[in-house]
Amino acid sequence: SGAGFQLEALGEKMPATGAATISFAVNESFVPPAYARGLAVVSGRAAGEMAVAGNGSSTYRVLEDFGLPEYGPKWAIFRGDRDLRAGFVGGALDVRRAENEVSIERYIAYWQTWAGG
């Protein structure tokens, strides 16, 4: 996850074979779990498994979804709340277009928490 927590397994466990490389075939497309940001591989045995860690005991790679646009918007500015009623928001959101829009179909604005989630 973006917070560094392990989520559900991607499939069956890969047996240790002694080979230098183990291939794990993903034979069909899948939807990653909510909050997934990457793939992590850890070692384990019957008594337990290693935790995902940045100290070299696990391998982590950020997911690259090639369906995503190549560039994102440069910036966004909310030009002030013009609705002075409590609990209501009104105003203008200005968005600076991406430097290259060849892979972009649209821009979408979402609400976001303070924590960035």
Side-chain angles (χ1 to χ4, degrees):
S1 76
F5 299 107
Q6 288 176 230
L7 300 172
E8 64 190 66
L10 180 59
E12 300 299 319
K13 296 175 182 173
M14 296 176 275
T17 63
T21 302
I22 302 169
S23 293
F24 179 77
V26 179
N27 295 321
E28 58 187 63
S29 296
F30 62 93
V31 176
Y35 310 110
R37 299 292 179 265
L39 295 173
V41 179
V42 299
S43 58
R45 58 181 181 191
E49 65 184 39
M50 303 289 291
V52 175
N55 62 8
S57 65
S58 62
T59 299
Y60 177 84
R61 292 291 180 255
V62 173
L63 285 173
E64 291 186 38
D65 185 344
F66 293 102
L68 293 176
E70 201 171 337
Y71 298 94
K74 292 281 199 181
W75 48 257
I77 297 173
F78 183 64
R79 300 244 180 238
D81 186 3
R82 295 186 184 146
D83 189 329
L84 301 179
R85 297 176 293 167
F88 291 83
V89 177
L93 176 65
D94 294 340
V95 178
R96 176 71 174 166
R97 296 166 49 166
E99 64 186 80
N100 183 324
E101 292 184 316
V102 71
S103 64
I104 297 173
E105 293 178 359
R106 64 186 172 274
Y107 295 93
I108 306 164
Y110 289 100
W111 292 108
Q112 185 173 6
T113 66
W114 282 110

